[in-house]
Amino acid sequence: MSFKKMALLLAGALGVGLSVIIVLVSLIAGSDNSCGSNVDNNTATGDTTMVPGDWNNKDSTAYKNMQKGADFFKGIGFSGNNTAAVLAIGWRESNWSPQAVNNSGGVKGIFQWGFNEINGNRYKDTEDTIDGQLSLTKKELTSTKKPVLMKMQSTTSIEDSATLWDTGFEGLGANDSQRKVSEVQRNAQSIKDIFKLDYSADNTKSPLNSDGKDAEAGSADSATDIADELKCDTPAQSNGQKSGASVANIPDKYKGQIKFSDDRTTTYPDNKYPFGQCTWYVYNRMKQTGHPLPWFSGDGGNGGYWGEVAKQQGFNVEANKPHEGWAVSFKGGQFGAIAPYGHIAFVEHVNDDGSFLVSECNVMNPGSGTISFREISSGQGLNFIEGK
């Protein structure tokens, strides 16, 4: 049993008030509740309502909630190993309590979604019930988290399933200690045995074969909602600013002109930004090209604030003038970036007339990790950030 859970149990037995429980937990755990932009990686502690019992007790609320979860994931085509891994992660995050809240981290629910400005509001108006939160899970798996659903269909082991869910859905790095890998794998095996999760994946049940197609097609409004949740750029342009259309491949005029690697798929385990965000891609690209930028926590991690925060931390930031190999930060409303979050991209090439080509993520097929390219007519009003 963890120190945090032991503290909660002891405090409950002594009849101590909620405020004392919070102090006791913080003293024992010595936890750091700081968190990054939309990275919902805060395990519920302190101010959390825990579910009584555990998955070994079929009469407990926890068991019943987890059974609903098991039925849900089987119903969307997950294998038994996929399901066991995700149930174990839900136990780590919240003990499968839909009322679990970490106010200091700004997260709540069975998978600890962000619900305010601290971690971004993925939760929105979701009901604080198992059914409501499983509906949110399905919504995300067919939109912003669709790559997780697609990849899970071909992931077979508990270990790989847990890694995929943590990195793709929870927003944790593969080597993040918060994953508690050994504990999750041990619990997943126990959960698999108790809930009899001995079955293969069934891709015919995937929501991508039905309502997922509608989500993929999407309306302009839903595309904006997705981008809003991810705190990045929306596919639409605004405010009359001129840029080229987003394209999946480097435009012909730039072929042979870019001095950086053509491989833009490199990712790093210390990248704390959630998969598919503009920030996730630029962090990877800057580090790949040898001039990394650090992870910016809190609201400073939103793409539109990188310039200000980088300058405060001693990085070279120039307004209006593009430089190859630098990051470019867009405030909300600039070139289609959503207010107040903004957008971040990587400058691949600068032309003699001051126009420039960027590579970026979350503009085409939001949330999928697709890298696209745009030509921006001018750097006027934009911040350009040099890595170290």
Side-chain angles (χ1 to χ4, degrees):
M1 178 180 293
S2 68
F3 282 110
K4 293 181 182 181
K5 291 181 181 177
M6 185 181 296
L8 289 171
L9 291 173
L10 287 173
L14 293 172
V16 182
L18 181 59
S19 61
V20 179
I21 296 176
I22 295 173
V23 172
L24 182 57
V25 172
S26 62
L27 287 173
I28 296 177
S31 61
D32 179 5
N33 286 315
S34 62
C35 47
S37 172
N38 205 28
V39 181
D40 302 343
N41 54 14
N42 297 271
T43 301
T45 60
D47 45 5
T48 298
T49 302
M50 290 297 185
V51 171
D54 58 33
W55 66 78
N56 293 291
N57 178 6
K58 292 186 177 182
D59 293 325
S60 71
T61 303
Y63 180 93
K64 294 173 183 177
N65 287 345
M66 293 174 75
Q67 184 63 65
K68 277 197 171 185
D71 294 341
F72 166 80
F73 287 109
K74 183 178 182 180
I76 63 172
F78 277 27
S79 71
N81 282 346
N82 299 155
T83 300
V86 176
L87 293 183
I89 289 171
W91 180 261
R92 179 197 69 201
E93 293 295 302
S94 66
N95 285 13
W96 272 87
S97 169
Q99 288 81 38
V101 180
N102 181 342
N103 285 314
S104 57
V107 291
K108 68 190 300 186
I110 53 177
F111 292 121
Q112 295 291 276
W113 289 274
F115 67 91
N116 60 23
E117 68 280 356
I118 296 176
N119 248 317
N121 190 359
R122 283 170 61 186
Y123 196 77
K124 294 190 176 178
D125 58 354
T126 304
E127 293 182 1
D128 296 336
T129 63
I130 284 293
D131 290 337
Q133 291 171 14
L134 290 177
S135 293
L136 174 59
T137 303
K138 183 177 180 181
K139 176 184 176 182
E140 291 195 324
L141 287 174
T142 55
S143 56
T144 59
K145 304 299 180 182
K146 183 167 65 174
V148 177
L149 179 58
M150 296 172 67
K151 293 177 182 178
M152 196 68 84
Q153 294 173 351
S154 59
T155 302
T156 57
S157 70
I158 286 177
E159 179 180 3
D160 291 343
S161 299
T163 299
L164 174 58
W165 190 266
D166 270 339
T167 58
F169 195 91
E170 298 291 335
L172 292 169
N175 297 321
D176 195 319
S177 61
Q178 293 183 87
R179 292 189 58 214
K180 301 180 181 178
V181 174
S182 297
E183 176 185 317
V184 166
Q185 290 185 25
R186 184 169 59 251
N187 288 345
Q189 188 57 58
S190 173
I191 289 167
K192 180 179 179 180
D193 294 340
I194 289 174
F195 288 90
K196 297 180 172 56
L197 306 178
D198 294 310
Y199 48 84
S200 301
D202 185 352
N203 294 343
T204 64
K205 295 181 178 179
S206 171
L208 295 180
N209 295 325
S210 52
D211 53 337
K213 293 180 181 178
D214 296 331
E216 183 176 10
S219 63
D221 289 341
S222 66
T224 299
D225 288 343
I226 292 168
D228 192 8
E229 288 175 15
L230 288 176
K231 296 190 171 183
C232 284
D233 198 26
T234 175
Q237 297 299 315
S238 64
N239 288 358
Q241 291 174 311
K242 183 180 178 183
S243 74
S246 298
V247 293
N249 299 304
I250 296 173
D252 288 341
K253 66 180 284 188
Y254 290 101
K255 290 181 179 178
Q257 302 295 314
I258 297 173
K259 61 184 180 182
F260 309 108
S261 171
D262 287 334
D263 180 10
R264 295 174 178 81
T265 62
T266 302
T267 60
Y268 296 92
D270 63 345
N271 189 342
K272 297 181 181 181
Y273 295 105
F275 172 85
Q277 281 202 22
C278 55
T279 48
W280 167 82
Y281 168 69
V282 173
Y283 181 94
N284 287 330
R285 186 65 167 160
M286 293 292 289
K287 189 167 185 175
Q288 179 197 27
T289 56
H291 299 281
L293 287 169
W295 174 67
F296 299 122
S297 64
D299 285 342
N302 296 326
Y305 296 100
W306 276 31
E308 299 167 13
V309 178
K311 191 171 185 177
Q312 292 171 4
Q313 296 189 16
F315 287 85
N316 184 25
V317 179
E318 290 189 22
N320 308 322
K321 185 178 180 180
H323 296 271
E324 294 175 356
W326 291 27
V328 54
S329 176
F330 303 79
K331 289 292 187 181
Q334 293 180 313
F335 296 94
I338 288 181
Y341 310 119
H343 181 58
I344 195 80
F346 178 85
V347 180
E348 297 280 354
H349 183 76
V350 179
N351 298 308
D352 293 339
D353 64 358
S355 62
F356 56 100
L357 180 74
V358 299
S359 60
E360 57 193 350
C361 191
N362 201 43
V363 176
M364 296 181 69
N365 301 321
S368 68
T370 299
I371 308 304
S372 58
F373 303 87
R374 266 194 301 169
E375 186 178 59
I376 308 294
S377 59
S378 169
Q380 190 65 34
L382 303 177
N383 280 323
F384 297 87
I385 310 159
E386 182 182 19
K388 289 187 177 180

